[in-house]
Amino acid sequence: MTAVRPVLLAAVVATACVGCAPVAPYQRGHLARPDMALEPPVTAQVLDKTFASKEAASGSGSVGGGGCGCR
């Protein structure tokens, strides 16, 4: 049982070291592609507009105007 603990610790440390890799500035643009986003940008814009339209009385979002959705 005690021999398992150092091996497990070494495996965790090795996995943590492999997972941390530096990213060069020229690679960040490739990794930040729009298709890599959690939500597609168009869907997020539509949801933001709908939310702002419904919650216009409370002043949510950055959209001005009334509850009709006009800007």
Side-chain angles (χ1 to χ4, degrees):
M1 184 68 138
T2 59
V4 174
R5 193 172 277 179
V7 172
L8 183 62
L9 180 64
V12 169
V13 169
T15 303
C17 290
V18 171
C20 300
V23 177
Y26 62 87
Q27 293 173 325
R28 291 181 185 151
H30 178 69
L31 295 173
R33 294 186 326 232
D35 61 327
M36 298 290 284
L38 295 176
E39 282 187 13
V42 175
T43 305
Q45 290 173 355
V46 170
L47 289 175
D48 286 342
K49 175 136 174 95
T50 303
F51 182 74
S53 298
K54 291 180 181 251
E55 299 292 330
S58 65
S60 70
S62 61
V63 178
C68 64
C70 54
R71 293 181 183 233

